[in-house]
Amino acid sequence: MPTCLRVCCGTDGSVTFLLEIMTRKPVDVKTESQYIIKADKEMADLLGVEEGSEVNNRTVRLSAGDTVFVQARSLSPLERMPATMKEQLMRADVPIGRILRNHNLETRRDMGELEVLKGKTTFDGIPVLSRSYKIVHNNDVLMWINERFPIDERWNL
């Protein structure tokens, strides 16, 4: 597995920032979908909220130049968002790491699953390295994130 991919999957910091360093290009965030849903039992347990709570469900792709490096899905309980942070999140094409930095929030990332998935349509069937983690602020889950990284030559930077 390429070193750059291992570094991105192992970080407990901003993948966007790492991609900008590795590629020497600005990272573009393109929103594929974003909508508010009501948390079912599984989602409520994952996020530590009540069933029926409003959750922002957002899927984006991170690109540098013409190359897509990551597809990321985030679930964010709206009741835990400071108002200005909620505005930035809902504006879509702003990276989560940048939103957190803009608000000077003290957070930690609690790493979850890390696995290789094969046969998914995320990157036209290319195997992907999938990782999930929670961003925690004041001991509450602020966001749950799943990132998928294609395992191929694009990481030979």
Side-chain angles (χ1 to χ4, degrees):
M1 197 169 296
T3 301
C4 289
L5 176 55
R6 288 194 322 255
V7 168
C8 282
C9 284
T11 187
D12 64 355
S14 169
V15 169
T16 304
F17 184 65
L18 281 176
L19 282 174
E20 287 178 340
I21 291 169
M22 291 176 182
T23 63
R24 296 183 201 115
K25 297 176 184 173
V27 169
D28 180 49
V29 178
K30 178 148 174 55
T31 302
E32 293 184 325
S33 67
Q34 179 167 271
Y35 47 93
I36 295 172
I37 57 176
K38 301 282 187 186
D40 60 14
K41 178 164 179 29
E42 183 181 343
M43 191 179 296
D45 290 345
L46 179 69
L47 299 172
V49 296
E50 297 291 322
E51 279 185 65
S53 295
E54 289 189 332
V55 174
N56 186 63
N57 184 344
R58 177 171 104 148
T59 301
V60 300
R61 286 189 176 247
L62 305 180
S63 304
D66 295 330
T67 305
V68 178
F69 285 92
V70 184
Q71 182 188 53
R73 177 180 179 221
S74 62
L75 299 173
S76 310
L78 294 180
E79 65 196 44
R80 295 203 179 123
M81 296 281 152
T84 55
M85 187 173 172
K86 191 183 311 183
E87 284 174 30
Q88 282 192 329
L89 184 67
M90 302 306 279
R91 268 194 278 160
D93 296 335
V94 180
I96 286 172
R98 190 169 298 141
I99 293 170
L100 293 172
R101 264 195 316 276
N102 289 346
H103 288 84
N104 295 319
L105 292 181
E106 296 221 9
T107 62
R108 72 173 190 271
R109 295 178 193 226
D110 290 348
M111 304 313 279
E113 295 180 7
L114 179 64
E115 60 187 332
V116 174
L117 304 175
K118 295 181 179 177
K120 300 293 181 184
T121 59
T122 309
F123 285 93
D124 298 325
I126 296 171
V128 295
L129 191 53
S130 172
R131 76 173 191 158
S132 298
Y133 58 92
K134 295 175 182 175
I135 296 178
V136 178
H137 173 64
N138 289 336
N139 292 320
D140 290 321
V141 177
L142 194 59
M143 297 175 185
W144 172 88
I145 298 174
N146 173 259
E147 295 167 332
R148 293 184 177 191
F149 306 82
I151 303 172
D152 65 9
E153 69 285 341
R154 74 188 77 198
W155 295 97
N156 296 332
L157 300 169

